[in-house]
Amino acid sequence: MKLKSLAAALMLLAAPVAAQEVKIGIAAEPYPPFTSPDAAGNWVGWEVDIINAVCAAAELQCVITPVAWDGIIPALTAGQIDAIMNSMSITEERLQTIDFSDKYYNTPTVVAAAKGSGLQPTPEGLAGKVIGVQVATIHEAYANKHFAETAAEIKVYQTQDEANQDLAAGRIDATQADSIALDAFIASEAGAACCEIVGAVADDPEVLGLGVGAGLRKGEDELKAKINAGIAKIREDGTYDAITAKYFASSIYGG
């Protein structure tokens, strides 16, 4: 009996350890080219590829878990997901509630408007105009801080796609979002027909943050260390650049 018990114990020690399962939260709506469902309903895009690469490098078994964007931080703090990797900027306000990994990209914030509108991405340049932003984003916070006093209205949408559609239809005058996301809209048939990028807004690190990182519950130091190591590894071994080259003409890592 003792020999059998010893053999069983040795077999358990020799068995490979299963990778840690981590639920990665993304918004349950398209945000191309970062995340969007394909025809089969599978999530694809630059950020999905980065998630998979970081998790592989960190030896984590990650499960992409769609959540409504305006409830994604509560879902994290409630334990429904383990991390957020969905173009969430690292800001002082968010750091009061959650923690972040190192950044994995950082791109400018821009404003799009109708072609030939002559609008500028400044409080004076958008005076009297209706500006569309996505709810619970740094762009909503920025517009409320910098444009609310001069704009006719800051109109809030559940998704950036809805704001883009209203811009194309002429129901709003401008929209503010990440440059890559709006570049993708402008490159689309609807965007190319109506609209253009009118410039980048003045930087405000307090609102716009210090780049995009993985959102984590406070105290999850082990998971944070693994994700940071995964980000560092794919940056060092060329995986990050290879993924980026599939989607963008140049690096979006930022300074």
Side-chain angles (χ1 to χ4, degrees), residues 133-192:
V133 290
Q134 185 180 3
V135 67
T137 62
I138 58 172
H139 308 296
E140 180 187 12
Y142 187 97
N144 284 329
K145 179 177 178 179
H146 293 277
F147 300 142
E149 287 188 8
T150 58
E153 180 185 357
I154 305 298
K155 191 169 182 179
V156 179
Y157 294 86
Q158 286 299 309
T159 71
Q160 184 58 42
D161 188 53
E162 291 171 329
N164 295 344
Q165 290 175 24
D166 270 11
L167 178 63
R171 289 186 284 266
I172 61 175
D173 299 298
T175 185
Q176 176 185 310
D178 177 83
S179 61
I180 300 298
L182 282 182
D183 281 348
F185 166 62
I186 296 299
S188 70
E189 184 176 351

Side-chain angles (χ1 to χ4, degrees), residues 118-127 129:
L119 297 184
Q120 297 295 317
T122 63
E124 301 75 21
L126 295 171
K129 304 302 180 183

Side-chain angles (χ1 to χ4, degrees), residues 183-224:
D183 281 348
F185 166 62
I186 296 299
S188 70
E189 184 176 351
C194 71
C195 309
E196 63 184 353
I197 304 294
V198 297
V201 302
D203 193 24
D204 182 348
E206 182 180 346
V207 177
L208 297 179
L210 303 170
V212 167
L216 301 156
R217 284 185 293 275
K218 288 188 178 292
E220 293 280 357
D221 296 336
E222 184 178 348
L223 179 57
K224 178 178 177 178

Side-chain angles (χ1 to χ4, degrees), residues 52-145:
N52 291 332
V54 168
C55 290
E59 298 183 353
L60 298 171
Q61 181 183 337
C62 293
V63 179
I64 291 178
T65 307
V67 180
W69 172 256
D70 58 356
I72 203 164
I73 289 180
L76 175 65
T77 57
Q80 297 168 14
I81 55 176
D82 301 304
I84 300 166
M85 292 185 72
N86 197 205
S87 296
M88 180 169 280
S89 295
I90 304 163
T91 66
E92 289 298 326
E93 181 180 0
R94 287 174 176 148
L95 283 166
Q96 294 175 21
T97 306
I98 63 174
D99 198 2
F100 279 93
S101 72
D102 296 337
K103 76 164 188 178
Y104 57 91
Y105 85 86
N106 191 13
T107 51
T109 292
V110 300
V111 170
K115 285 183 176 179
S117 67
L119 297 184
Q120 297 295 317
T122 63
E124 301 75 21
L126 295 171
K129 304 302 180 183
V130 178
I131 306 166
V133 290
Q134 185 180 3
V135 67
T137 62
I138 58 172
H139 308 296
E140 180 187 12
Y142 187 97
N144 284 329
K145 179 177 178 179

